[in-house]
Amino acid sequence: MTGPALVIDVLTIFPSWFDGPLSTSLLARATAEGRLALRVHDLREWATDRHRSVDAPPYGGGPGMVMRADVWFNAAEAVWNDLPPTVTAGRDRPPPEARYVAGGSRPRTILLTPRGDRFDQAMAEQFAREPRLVLLCGRYEGIDERVHHEVATDEVSVGDYVLLGGEVAAAAVIEAVTRLVPGVVGNAGSTTDESFTSGLLEYPQYTRPARLRGLEVPEVLASGDHGAVRRWREEQARTLTDRRRPDLRAEQAPRGPG
Ligand code: 6GU
């Protein structure tokens, strides 16, 4: 019995936020089948005061609160080393049994932040090759800079807009990466012959009924001429991409012909 192909740990102050995604459809099945292990941890387990606070006012003043580096360091060191919160909470240095430490050797640890590198399919493919990912969800106005430097190995953003926190972004990363794990998506063709891997948007699809409210399915698709169908789809994908996402074509160009 080998372990799951991919282990993902999530650190968040809203662990229940992930209940829905984790219990639904493909992710639940991948977990049940042992292809994926998804572990969600409550950052507050590493808070030390009575109010379990994980943030404090910024040095230098200004509005809002900043997430505390001590709490993040201790939480990350516990998760990296599979230690319970009680071992690391409140410490001012890593526990002696820690193999992975902040600022040192550590698993791929992704901080979700609007200032990160833009997440795309190429990055998802890179993450899917890792045995283990740790996702850090920030909240509030920001996180102590020392967490960016000493805890995170990567900083990732899911687009040029501002979310309340990293949870939605982490869910996007989890879905994009887990569907690339072998066996998670049933049909192997459906993860390779597709938008962003081919550099083209998907061609239009149709199914029954052939005629709906006067709207017909393109004739070529029912012609039985597989060559003609393939040429039509390629042409459609190219035209759609040129119209909607010329940037995708531009990105693909340097890879040369073919
Ligand atoms: Cl990763 N976090 C937040 N708060 N906002 C974002 C984001 C991440 N990516 C895009 N917007």
Side-chain angles (χ1 to χ4, degrees), residues 112-114 156-159 161-166 169:
L112 285 313
T113 166
V156 169
S157 161
V158 293
Y161 42 82
V162 179
L163 301 167
L164 289 171

